[in-house]
Amino acid sequence: MYVFMDHYTILGLPTGKEGAKVTIEEIRKAYKAKALLLHPDKNSHDPKANAKFQRLKCSYDILKDAYARKLFDEQLQMNFEHDEERRKMESDLARNKKKEEKAKAAVAKAKKEARAAEKEAKRAEEVVKAINEAMAAEEAAEKANDEAEAAVIAAEKAKGKSKAAARAAAKAKEEAELAAVAASKAIEEANAAENAATRARARAKAALK
């Protein structure tokens, strides 16, 4: 597995564009200072001391060679650019992920609001229906009340007509009774007249004899 080593960092020097400006003298001084610290004789307790010292020497050998250093600086710049691109890509992915999460949250919120609006609309429809039913019931009650009032008026009129008919019947009865009395009197008078006529004829007949 390839592991990229930053030779400037290994020597304790600035890296990147700043590292490219470091002089060979600064590289030599940094190497000597690090070599004193990492020399195996001074780090006998560290099993990796020799490997660390060899890595330090390898980094120094590359940086003190102008051509090797130039190739390394180019590779380092490429790595920085690659890292920058990777960081930018990761940042873009993170932003896109956040946007996607926000979009999902917005969609979920919109769906929730739509469901709430649908429920509210349904409740509003039920309220309107109840109001319409109440208005229809009120109209029916008013109509029934009007009909009841009309029936009362008709009953009052019928009652008045009934009273008038009763008065007319009573009057007719009274007139019939008076007519009967008059007829009875006329009969009596007729009978009396007939009796008188009979007596008159009898007297006339007696007179002729």
Side-chain angles (χ1 to χ4, degrees), residues 15-196:
T15 188
K17 291 181 179 180
E18 294 298 321
K21 298 176 183 179
V22 175
T23 64
I24 189 66
E25 184 60 30
E26 290 174 325
I27 292 172
R28 188 177 293 111
K29 286 181 179 179
Y31 169 68
K32 287 182 178 179
K34 280 282 185 176
L36 290 173
L37 292 174
L38 298 178
H39 197 281
D41 292 343
K42 291 186 177 181
N43 295 278
S44 57
H45 61 283
D46 186 358
K48 296 181 180 180
N50 191 58
K52 290 178 181 179
F53 186 76
Q54 289 300 321
R55 184 175 61 183
L56 176 68
K57 188 174 184 308
C58 176
S59 295
Y60 174 63
D61 289 341
I62 289 173
L63 294 181
K64 74 178 181 178
D65 184 278
Y67 180 70
R69 182 182 178 185
K70 181 176 179 298
L71 292 178
F72 173 71
D73 285 342
E74 291 175 354
Q75 180 64 44
L76 187 62
Q77 183 61 31
M78 288 176 61
N79 286 351
F80 273 118
E81 291 174 357
H82 176 73
D83 288 343
E84 183 64 24
E85 289 177 359
R86 179 177 54 79
R87 284 192 293 270
K88 186 177 181 301
M89 187 179 296
E90 290 175 350
S91 178
D92 291 343
L93 287 172
R95 281 196 298 270
N96 290 337
K97 187 176 181 181
K98 286 183 179 179
K99 287 181 180 179
E100 185 179 353
E101 289 174 351
K102 286 183 179 179
K104 287 181 179 179
V107 170
K109 183 180 179 181
K111 287 182 178 179
K112 184 177 180 180
E113 290 176 351
R115 287 194 294 269
E118 186 178 353
K119 289 181 180 179
E120 190 64 27
K122 189 175 181 181
R123 283 197 293 270
E125 288 178 1
E126 291 174 352
V127 170
V128 170
K129 183 179 178 182
I131 290 172
N132 290 335
E133 290 176 351
M135 291 176 66
E138 185 177 356
E139 289 176 359
E142 289 179 356
K143 185 177 179 181
N145 187 50
D146 292 341
E147 291 175 351
E149 289 180 355
V152 170
I153 292 171
E156 290 293 334
K157 287 181 179 180
K159 186 177 179 182
K161 289 180 180 180
S162 178
K163 287 180 179 180
R167 285 195 296 270
K171 186 177 180 181
K173 183 180 179 182
E174 184 179 352
E175 289 176 350
E177 290 176 350
L178 290 173
V181 171
S184 179
K185 185 176 181 182
I187 290 169
E188 288 178 356
E189 289 176 351
N191 289 330
E194 186 177 357
N195 291 331

